[in-house]
Amino acid sequence: MPELPEVETLRRELNKLLKLDSKTPVKFTAIEFKRADLRNKIPKAKLINLIGHNLYPIQRRAKYLLFPTSAGTLLNHLGMTGNWRELKDREDFKNHDHAVIEFNNKVKLVYNDPRRFGIIDFVIPQKENESLWLKHLGAEPLSKEFNAEYFFAKIKKRVAPIKNIIMDQKIVVGVGNIYASEVLFKCHIHPLHIANKLSFKKVIMLVDAINTILKKAIDSGGTTIKDFRTVGGEKGYFVQKLKVYGRKGSSCHRCHKPIQAKKISGRSTYWCPYCQKK
DNA sequence: CTGAAGACCTGCCTGC
DNA sequence: TGCAGGCAGGTCTTCA
């Protein structure tokens, strides 16, 4: 489900719903887990200790959501199918609802994740960057750190297809399988182009395209192919703006030739064979 | 070290 | 209608 724009959309929605930007503190009043594990074993005792503590505004690092409190941080990754929604009064639980959090402002959040590739973990206060989940992550794509010089240096010795490289979270975070195809289409680069054979000029275009596409996707509330919903149940509308992903056989918006699809390193990849040359 | 493939899970869609 | 097979937005582990 979620790449950076979907996680960022969810983060903003959650902060808005919980009114975390206001002066009034928001406290955890109940935390409940309906199973012992997702992709990891859930450290229930440590997380239940957060009850009574104030929640600060929710942060994002890469595709991870961070719920910071003075007593530690609840870390969450959505995997492929994870999602948070508001549990309304008298609303029943659904299949695959795994965690419930209640706050003193009466808001109840439910974490649902059918495939259970998600993560819920506890991170020691002030030591977020030392967490095993976060410590090897590369640059945030919307930060100044992620520029053409940085990216060019990182790919200098990499002989893998560029598509794999822009999805490598050790280099740049947040780009997943959908946006990787979209970004490469935008700058006319073939997904199988070997990373270290890209010119610096192409790298400038690539860095710019990653920036632009992720920002536009955030502005559209993310991409809903199947599962992704905002906290209120809304779909993301960037799917209507996808140029190649999921469009096998349809005509290219630039040259009107059919879009091609193939698995690259096990992931479905879409591109225009005429607009994107190796 | 790098790169590719396998593994982890459930649900949905297609085709026989 | 039923069932097998393939597919899905992620990433850690294993193997060459």
Side-chain angles (χ1 to χ4, degrees):
Chain A
M1 176 190 55
E3 302 179 37
L4 184 146
E6 291 73 45
V7 179
E8 178 63 18
T9 297
L10 209 47
R11 183 187 79 83
R12 293 179 184 185
E13 298 260 333
L14 288 169
N15 279 337
K16 202 193 288 180
L17 174 72
L18 291 165
K19 299 190 171 68
L20 282 168
D21 48 355
S22 73
K23 293 264 162 30
T24 320
V26 177
K27 284 184 200 296
F28 289 98
T29 51
I31 303 178
E32 184 196 341
F33 299 102
K34 297 185 173 295
R35 56 175 304 126
D37 60 320
L38 296 169
R39 207 176 86 203
N40 64 322
K41 184 171 184 293
I42 299 170
K44 288 190 187 186
K46 285 178 185 168
L47 291 170
I48 285 168
N49 267 340
L50 300 180
I51 293 172
H53 288 271
N54 289 343
L55 173 64
Y56 303 132
I58 297 162
Q59 310 287 313
R60 179 187 58 72
R61 170 72 173 113
K63 299 171 190 167
Y64 294 84
L65 286 171
L66 302 169
F67 297 68
T69 80
S70 52
T73 295
L74 185 156
L75 172 148
N76 167 234
H77 192 292
L78 303 167
M80 291 277 249
T81 53
N83 206 1
W84 291 93
R85 74 175 192 283
E86 184 181 11
L87 189 73
K88 302 278 171 48
D89 276 346
R90 299 188 308 172
E91 183 187 336
D92 287 331
F93 287 112
K94 294 181 183 168
N95 201 11
H96 308 300
D97 281 346
H98 304 310
V100 191
I101 305 182
E102 294 183 39
F103 300 91
N104 64 336
N105 58 10
K106 302 294 177 208
V107 176
K108 277 189 203 178
L109 293 180
V110 183
Y111 178 73
N112 185 283
D113 189 350
R115 290 175 73 180
R116 303 203 305 270
F117 288 168
I119 296 163
I120 292 180
D121 205 355
F122 174 82
V123 181
I124 297 163
Q126 325 300 330
K127 296 202 173 178
E128 285 81 0
N129 292 336
E130 296 170 32
S131 152
L132 281 178
W133 303 113
L134 307 179
K135 67 191 289 187
H136 301 296
L137 293 174
E140 281 290 330
L142 304 180
S143 73
K144 282 185 186 156
E145 186 195 353
F146 183 62
N147 55 40
E149 287 75 19
Y150 167 91
F151 193 64
F152 196 65
K154 285 282 183 190
I155 69 175
K156 206 163 54 183
K157 293 180 180 168
R158 301 297 295 269
V159 290
I162 187 61
K163 192 220 175 202
N164 298 14
I165 299 298
I166 60 177
M167 290 175 66
D168 183 342
Q169 305 296 301
K170 292 193 285 298
I171 296 177
V172 57
V173 303
V175 180
N177 200 40
I178 294 178
Y179 297 113
S181 283
E182 293 300 310
V183 160
L184 294 171
F185 175 79
K186 184 172 169 62
C187 35
H188 302 251
I189 298 172
H190 195 288
L192 287 172
H193 197 109
I194 297 305
N196 71 353
K197 293 193 173 157
L198 282 173
S199 66
F200 188 67
K201 204 173 164 185
K202 276 286 181 191
V203 167
I204 293 172
M205 288 174 62
L206 193 48
V207 166
D208 183 65
I210 289 172
N211 241 275
T212 309
I213 287 183
L214 293 181
K215 277 183 188 157
K216 282 191 178 162
I218 293 169
D219 289 344
S220 301
T223 298
T224 299
I225 298 291
K226 206 164 74 66
D227 302 303
F228 176 68
R229 292 293 184 282
T230 63
V231 183
E234 299 283 316
K235 294 183 182 183
Y237 290 102
F238 196 75
V239 66
Q240 297 159 8
K241 298 179 185 168
L242 297 178
K243 301 279 200 292
V244 286
Y245 186 87
R247 299 191 64 243
K248 180 182 181 181
S250 302
S251 71
C252 169
H253 292 327
R254 277 195 301 241
C255 73
H256 308 296
K257 301 258 172 43
I259 299 298
Q260 192 169 335
K262 188 192 159 191
K263 292 232 183 241
I264 296 178
S265 297
R267 311 299 302 277
S268 294
T269 307
Y270 299 83
W271 74 96
C272 173
Y274 296 90
C275 293
Q276 294 168 263
K277 301 289 186 193
K278 264 194 247 185

